[in-house]
Coordinates of all heavy atoms in Angstrom, one line a residue:
M291 N 12.6 6.6 -4.7 CA 11.5 7.0 -3.8 C 11.9 7.1 -2.4 O 11.4 7.8 -1.6 CB 10.3 6.1 -4.0 CG 9.2 6.5 -3.2 SD 7.6 6.4 -4.0 CE 7.3 7.9 -4.7
S292 N 13.0 6.3 -2.0 CA 13.4 6.3 -0.6 C 14.2 7.5 -0.3 O 15.1 8.0 -1.1 CB 14.2 5.0 -0.4 OG 14.8 5.0 0.9
R293 N 14.0 8.0 0.9 CA 14.8 9.2 1.3 C 16.1 8.8 2.0 O 17.0 9.6 2.1 CB 14.0 10.0 2.3 CG 12.9 10.8 1.6 CD 12.1 11.6 2.6 NE 11.0 12.2 2.0 CZ 9.8 11.6 1.7 NH1 9.6 10.4 2.0 NH2 8.8 12.3 1.1
L294 N 16.1 7.5 2.5 CA 17.3 7.0 3.1 C 18.0 6.0 2.1 O 17.3 5.1 1.6 CB 17.0 6.3 4.4 CG 16.3 7.2 5.4 CD1 15.9 6.3 6.6 CD2 17.3 8.3 5.9
T295 N 19.2 6.1 1.9 CA 19.9 5.2 1.0 C 20.1 3.9 1.6 O 20.4 3.7 2.7 CB 21.3 5.8 0.6 OG1 21.3 7.2 0.7 CG2 21.7 5.5 -0.8
G296 N 19.9 2.8 0.8 CA 20.1 1.5 1.2 C 19.0 0.9 2.1 O 19.2 -0.1 2.7
T297 N 17.8 1.5 2.0 CA 16.7 0.9 2.8 C 15.6 0.6 1.8 O 15.5 1.1 0.7 CB 16.2 2.0 3.8 OG1 15.8 3.1 3.1 CG2 17.2 2.3 4.8
I298 N 14.7 -0.2 2.3 CA 13.5 -0.6 1.5 C 12.3 0.0 2.2 O 12.1 -0.1 3.4 CB 13.3 -2.1 1.5 CG1 14.5 -2.8 0.8 CG2 12.0 -2.5 0.8 CD1 14.6 -4.3 0.8
D299 N 11.5 0.8 1.4 CA 10.3 1.5 1.9 C 9.3 0.5 2.3 O 8.9 -0.4 1.5 CB 9.8 2.5 0.9 CG 10.7 3.7 0.7 OD1 11.5 3.9 1.6 OD2 10.5 4.3 -0.3
V300 N 8.8 0.5 3.6 CA 7.7 -0.3 4.0 C 6.4 0.4 3.6 O 5.5 -0.3 3.1 CB 7.8 -0.5 5.5 CG1 6.6 -1.3 6.0 CG2 9.1 -1.3 5.9
I301 N 6.3 1.6 3.9 CA 5.1 2.4 3.5 C 5.6 3.3 2.4 O 6.3 4.3 2.6 CB 4.5 3.2 4.7 CG1 4.2 2.3 5.8 CG2 3.3 4.0 4.2 CD1 3.8 3.0 7.1
V302 N 5.2 3.1 1.1 CA 5.7 3.8 0.0 C 5.0 5.2 -0.2 O 5.6 6.2 -0.2 CB 5.7 3.0 -1.3 CG1 6.3 3.8 -2.4 CG2 6.5 1.7 -1.1
F303 N 3.7 5.1 -0.4 CA 3.0 6.3 -0.8 C 2.2 7.0 0.3 O 1.8 8.1 0.2 CB 2.0 6.0 -1.9 CG 2.7 5.5 -3.2 CD1 2.7 4.2 -3.6 CD2 3.5 6.4 -3.9 CE1 3.3 3.9 -4.8 CE2 4.1 6.1 -5.0 CZ 4.1 4.8 -5.5
T304 N 2.0 6.3 1.4 CA 1.2 6.9 2.5 C 1.8 8.2 3.0 O 1.0 9.1 3.3 CB 1.0 5.9 3.7 OG1 0.5 4.6 3.1 CG2 0.1 6.4 4.7
G305 N 3.0 8.2 3.2 CA 3.7 9.4 3.8 C 3.7 10.6 2.8 O 3.8 11.7 3.2
D306 N 3.6 10.3 1.5 CA 3.7 11.4 0.5 C 2.3 11.6 -0.2 O 2.2 11.9 -1.3 CB 4.7 11.0 -0.6 CG 6.1 11.0 0.0 OD1 6.4 11.8 1.0 OD2 6.9 10.2 -0.4
A307 N 1.2 11.3 0.5 CA -0.1 11.4 -0.1 C -0.4 12.9 -0.4 O 0.2 13.8 0.1 CB -1.1 10.9 0.9
S308 N -1.4 13.0 -1.3 CA -1.7 14.4 -1.8 C -2.3 15.3 -0.7 O -2.3 16.5 -0.9 CB -2.7 14.2 -2.9 OG -3.9 13.6 -2.4
W309 N -2.7 14.8 0.4 CA -3.3 15.7 1.5 C -2.2 16.3 2.4 O -2.5 17.0 3.3 CB -4.4 15.0 2.2 CG -4.0 13.8 2.9 CD1 -3.3 13.6 4.1 CD2 -4.1 12.5 2.4 NE1 -3.1 12.3 4.3 CE2 -3.6 11.6 3.3 CE3 -4.7 11.9 1.2 CZ2 -3.5 10.2 3.1 CZ3 -4.7 10.6 1.0 CH2 -4.1 9.7 2.0
G310 N -0.9 16.0 2.1 CA 0.1 16.6 2.8 C 0.6 15.9 4.1 O 1.3 16.5 4.9
L311 N 0.2 14.7 4.4 CA 0.6 14.0 5.6 C 2.1 13.7 5.4 O 2.5 13.2 4.4 CB -0.2 12.7 5.7 CG 0.2 11.8 6.9 CD1 -0.1 12.5 8.2 CD2 -0.6 10.5 6.8
R312 N 2.8 14.0 6.5 CA 4.3 13.7 6.5 C 4.6 12.8 7.6 O 4.5 13.2 8.8 CB 5.0 15.1 6.6 CG 6.5 14.9 6.7 CD 7.1 14.6 5.3 NE 8.6 14.6 5.5 CZ 9.3 13.5 5.4 NH1 8.8 12.4 5.2 NH2 10.6 13.6 5.5
L313 N 5.0 11.6 7.3 CA 5.5 10.6 8.3 C 7.0 10.7 8.4 O 7.7 11.0 7.5 CB 5.1 9.2 7.8 CG 3.6 8.9 7.8 CD1 3.4 7.5 7.2 CD2 3.0 9.0 9.1
P314 N 7.5 10.4 9.6 CA 8.9 10.4 9.8 C 9.6 9.3 9.0 O 9.0 8.3 8.7 CB 9.1 10.2 11.3 CG 7.8 10.2 11.9 CD 6.8 10.2 10.9
D315 N 10.9 9.6 8.7 CA 11.6 8.6 7.9 C 11.8 7.2 8.7 O 11.9 6.2 8.0 CB 13.0 9.1 7.6 CG 13.0 10.2 6.5 OD1 12.0 10.2 5.8 OD2 13.9 11.0 6.5
S316 N 11.8 7.3 10.0 CA 11.9 6.0 10.7 C 10.6 5.1 10.6 O 10.7 3.9 10.7 CB 12.1 6.3 12.2 OG 11.0 7.0 12.7
V317 N 9.5 5.7 10.2 CA 8.3 4.9 9.9 C 8.3 4.4 8.5 O 7.9 3.3 8.2 CB 7.0 5.8 10.2 CG1 5.8 5.1 9.8 CG2 7.0 6.2 11.7
I318 N 8.7 5.3 7.6 CA 8.7 4.9 6.2 C 9.7 3.9 5.8 O 9.4 2.9 5.1 CB 8.8 6.2 5.3 CG1 7.7 7.1 5.5 CG2 9.0 5.8 3.8 CD1 7.8 8.5 4.9
A319 N 10.9 4.0 6.3 CA 12.0 3.1 6.0 C 12.4 2.4 7.2 O 13.3 2.7 7.9 CB 13.2 3.8 5.4
A320 N 11.6 1.3 7.6 CA 11.8 0.7 8.9 C 12.9 -0.4 8.9 O 13.5 -0.7 9.9 CB 10.5 0.1 9.3
Y321 N 13.0 -1.1 7.8 CA 13.9 -2.3 7.7 C 15.0 -2.1 6.6 O 14.7 -1.6 5.5 CB 13.1 -3.6 7.4 CG 12.2 -3.9 8.5 CD1 10.8 -3.7 8.3 CD2 12.6 -4.4 9.7 CE1 9.9 -4.0 9.3 CE2 11.7 -4.7 10.7 CZ 10.4 -4.5 10.5 OH 9.5 -4.8 11.5
H322 N 16.2 -2.5 6.9 CA 17.2 -2.6 5.9 C 17.1 -4.0 5.2 O 16.5 -4.9 5.7 CB 18.6 -2.5 6.5 CG 18.9 -1.2 7.1 ND1 19.3 -0.1 6.3 CD2 18.8 -0.7 8.4 CE1 19.4 0.9 7.1 NE2 19.1 0.6 8.4
G323 N 17.6 -4.1 4.0 CA 17.6 -5.3 3.2 C 18.1 -6.5 4.0 O 17.5 -7.6 3.9
A324 N 19.2 -6.4 4.7 CA 19.7 -7.5 5.5 C 18.8 -8.0 6.6 O 18.9 -9.1 7.0 CB 21.1 -7.1 6.1
Q325 N 17.9 -7.1 7.1 CA 17.0 -7.5 8.1 C 15.8 -8.2 7.6 O 15.1 -9.0 8.3 CB 16.5 -6.2 8.9 CG 17.6 -5.6 9.7 CD 17.1 -4.3 10.3 OE1 16.4 -3.5 9.6 NE2 17.5 -4.0 11.5
L326 N 15.5 -8.0 6.3 CA 14.3 -8.6 5.7 C 14.4 -10.1 5.4 O 13.5 -10.8 5.5 CB 13.9 -7.8 4.4 CG 13.3 -6.4 4.6 CD1 13.0 -5.8 3.3 CD2 12.0 -6.5 5.5
L327 N 15.6 -10.5 5.1 CA 15.9 -11.9 4.7 C 15.6 -12.8 5.9 O 14.8 -13.8 5.7 CB 17.3 -12.1 4.2 CG 17.6 -13.5 3.7 CD1 16.7 -13.9 2.5 CD2 19.1 -13.6 3.3
P328 N 16.1 -12.6 7.1 CA 15.8 -13.5 8.2 C 14.3 -13.5 8.6 O 13.7 -14.5 9.0 CB 16.7 -13.0 9.4 CG 17.7 -12.1 8.8 CD 17.2 -11.7 7.5
L329 N 13.7 -12.3 8.5 CA 12.3 -12.2 8.8 C 11.5 -13.0 7.8 O 10.5 -13.7 8.2 CB 11.8 -10.7 8.7 CG 12.3 -9.9 9.9 CD1 11.9 -8.4 9.6 CD2 11.7 -10.3 11.2
A330 N 11.8 -12.9 6.5 CA 11.1 -13.7 5.5 C 11.3 -15.2 5.7 O 10.3 -16.0 5.6 CB 11.5 -13.2 4.1
L331 N 12.5 -15.6 5.9 CA 12.8 -17.0 6.1 C 12.1 -17.5 7.4 O 11.6 -18.7 7.4 CB 14.3 -17.2 6.1 CG 15.1 -17.0 4.8 CD1 16.5 -17.2 5.0 CD2 14.5 -17.9 3.7
G332 N 12.1 -16.7 8.4 CA 11.4 -17.1 9.6 C 9.9 -17.3 9.4 O 9.3 -18.3 10.0
G333 N 9.4 -16.4 8.7 CA 7.9 -16.5 8.4 C 7.6 -17.8 7.6 O 6.6 -18.4 7.8
L334 N 8.5 -18.1 6.6 CA 8.3 -19.3 5.8 C 8.4 -20.5 6.6 O 7.7 -21.5 6.5 CB 9.2 -19.3 4.6 CG 9.0 -18.3 3.5 CD1 10.1 -18.3 2.5 CD2 7.6 -18.6 2.8
L335 N 9.4 -20.5 7.6 CA 9.6 -21.7 8.4 C 8.4 -21.9 9.4 O 7.9 -23.0 9.5 CB 10.9 -21.5 9.3 CG 11.2 -22.6 10.2 CD1 11.6 -23.9 9.5 CD2 12.4 -22.2 11.1
I336 N 7.9 -20.8 9.9 CA 6.7 -21.0 10.8 C 5.5 -21.5 10.0 O 4.8 -22.3 10.5 CB 6.4 -19.6 11.5 CG1 7.5 -19.3 12.5 CG2 5.1 -19.6 12.2 CD1 7.5 -17.9 13.0
A337 N 5.3 -20.9 8.8 CA 4.2 -21.4 8.0 C 4.3 -22.8 7.6 O 3.3 -23.6 7.7 CB 4.1 -20.5 6.8
A338 N 5.5 -23.3 7.3 CA 5.7 -24.7 6.9 C 5.5 -25.6 8.0 O 4.9 -26.7 7.9 CB 7.1 -24.8 6.3
L339 N 6.0 -25.2 9.2 CA 5.8 -26.1 10.4 C 4.4 -26.2 10.8 O 3.9 -27.3 11.1 CB 6.6 -25.5 11.6 CG 8.1 -25.8 11.5 CD1 8.8 -25.1 12.7 CD2 8.4 -27.3 11.5
G340 N 3.7 -25.1 10.7 CA 2.2 -25.1 11.0 C 1.5 -26.0 10.1 O 0.6 -26.7 10.4
A341 N 1.8 -25.9 8.8 CA 1.1 -26.7 7.8 C 1.5 -28.2 8.0 O 0.6 -29.1 7.8 CB 1.5 -26.3 6.4
L342 N 2.7 -28.5 8.2 CA 3.1 -29.9 8.4 C 2.5 -30.5 9.7 O 2.1 -31.7 9.6 CB 4.6 -30.0 8.4 CG 5.4 -29.8 7.1 CD1 6.9 -29.8 7.3 CD2 4.9 -30.9 6.1
L343 N 2.4 -29.8 10.7 CA 1.9 -30.3 12.0 C 0.4 -30.6 11.8 O -0.1 -31.7 12.2 CB 2.0 -29.3 13.1 CG 3.5 -29.2 13.7 CD1 3.6 -28.1 14.7 CD2 3.9 -30.6 14.2
S344 N -0.4 -29.7 11.2 CA -1.8 -30.0 11.0 C -2.0 -31.1 9.9 O -2.9 -31.9 10.0 CB -2.5 -28.7 10.6 OG -2.0 -28.2 9.3
A345 N -1.2 -31.2 8.9 CA -1.3 -32.2 7.9 C -1.0 -33.6 8.5 O -1.6 -34.6 8.2 CB -0.4 -31.9 6.7
A346 N 0.0 -33.6 9.4 CA 0.4 -34.9 10.0 C -0.8 -35.4 10.9 O -1.1 -36.5 11.0 CB 1.7 -34.8 10.8
W347 N -1.4 -34.4 11.6 CA -2.5 -34.8 12.5 C -3.7 -35.3 11.6 O -4.3 -36.3 12.0 CB -3.0 -33.6 13.3 CG -4.2 -33.9 14.1 CD1 -4.3 -34.5 15.3 CD2 -5.5 -33.7 13.7 NE1 -5.6 -34.7 15.7 CE2 -6.4 -34.2 14.7 CE3 -6.1 -33.1 12.5 CZ2 -7.8 -34.1 14.6 CZ3 -7.5 -33.0 12.5 CH2 -8.3 -33.5 13.5
A348 N -4.0 -34.6 10.5 CA -5.1 -35.0 9.7 C -4.8 -36.4 9.0 O -5.7 -37.2 8.8 CB -5.3 -34.0 8.6
A349 N -3.6 -36.6 8.7 CA -3.2 -37.9 8.1 C -3.4 -39.1 9.1 O -3.7 -40.2 8.7 CB -1.8 -37.9 7.5
G350 N -3.1 -38.8 10.3 CA -3.2 -39.8 11.3 C -4.6 -40.0 11.9 O -4.8 -41.0 12.6
S351 N -5.5 -39.1 11.6 CA -6.8 -39.3 12.2 C -7.8 -39.8 11.2 O -7.5 -40.0 10.0 CB -7.3 -37.9 12.7 OG -7.5 -37.0 11.6
R352 N -9.0 -40.2 11.7 CA -10.0 -40.7 10.7 C -10.5 -39.5 9.9 O -10.5 -38.4 10.3 CB -11.2 -41.2 11.5 CG -10.8 -42.5 12.3 CD -12.0 -43.1 13.0 NE -13.3 -42.7 12.4 CZ -14.4 -42.8 13.0 NH1 -14.5 -43.3 14.2 NH2 -15.5 -42.5 12.4
T353 N -10.9 -39.8 8.7 CA -11.4 -38.8 7.7 C -12.5 -38.0 8.2 O -12.6 -36.8 8.1 CB -11.8 -39.5 6.4 OG1 -10.7 -40.3 5.9 CG2 -12.1 -38.5 5.3
V354 N -13.5 -38.7 8.8 CA -14.7 -38.0 9.4 C -14.3 -37.0 10.4 O -14.8 -35.9 10.5 CB -15.7 -39.0 9.9 CG1 -16.9 -38.4 10.6 CG2 -16.2 -39.9 8.8
T355 N -13.4 -37.4 11.3 CA -12.9 -36.5 12.4 C -12.2 -35.3 11.8 O -12.5 -34.2 12.3 CB -12.0 -37.3 13.4 OG1 -12.7 -38.4 13.8 CG2 -11.6 -36.4 14.5
A356 N -11.4 -35.5 10.9 CA -10.6 -34.4 10.3 C -11.5 -33.4 9.6 O -11.4 -32.2 9.7 CB -9.6 -34.9 9.3
L357 N -12.6 -34.0 8.9 CA -13.5 -33.1 8.2 C -14.4 -32.3 9.2 O -14.8 -31.2 8.9 CB -14.3 -33.9 7.2 CG -13.6 -34.4 6.0 CD1 -14.5 -35.3 5.1 CD2 -13.0 -33.2 5.2
R358 N -14.8 -32.9 10.3 CA -15.6 -32.2 11.3 C -14.8 -31.1 11.9 O -15.3 -30.0 12.2 CB -16.1 -33.2 12.3 CG -17.2 -34.0 11.9 CD -17.8 -34.8 13.1 NE -18.7 -35.8 12.6 CZ -19.0 -37.0 13.1 NH1 -18.3 -37.3 14.3 NH2 -19.9 -37.8 12.6
I359 N -13.5 -31.4 12.2 CA -12.7 -30.3 12.8 C -12.5 -29.1 11.9 O -12.5 -28.0 12.3 CB -11.3 -30.9 13.2 CG1 -11.5 -32.0 14.3 CG2 -10.4 -29.9 13.7 CD1 -11.9 -31.6 15.6
E360 N -12.4 -29.4 10.6 CA -12.1 -28.4 9.7 C -13.4 -27.5 9.6 O -13.4 -26.4 9.4 CB -11.8 -29.0 8.3 CG -11.4 -28.0 7.3 CD -11.0 -28.6 6.0 OE1 -10.2 -29.5 6.0 OE2 -11.5 -28.1 5.0

């Protein structure tokens, strides 16, 4: 389905919709596979740090305070 070899389609069907909309290849195939791995790992790291920080705060505070904040 990709028009560019070695790329992963970010928007797969939007550019080839039945009403004839044609998006440029730079929009459809925005990232190469080697670029996606650091982005995915960075997203997981940010999510894990955010979860650990809030969990550490909740564990150190009183139960009533943590439930009120939530």
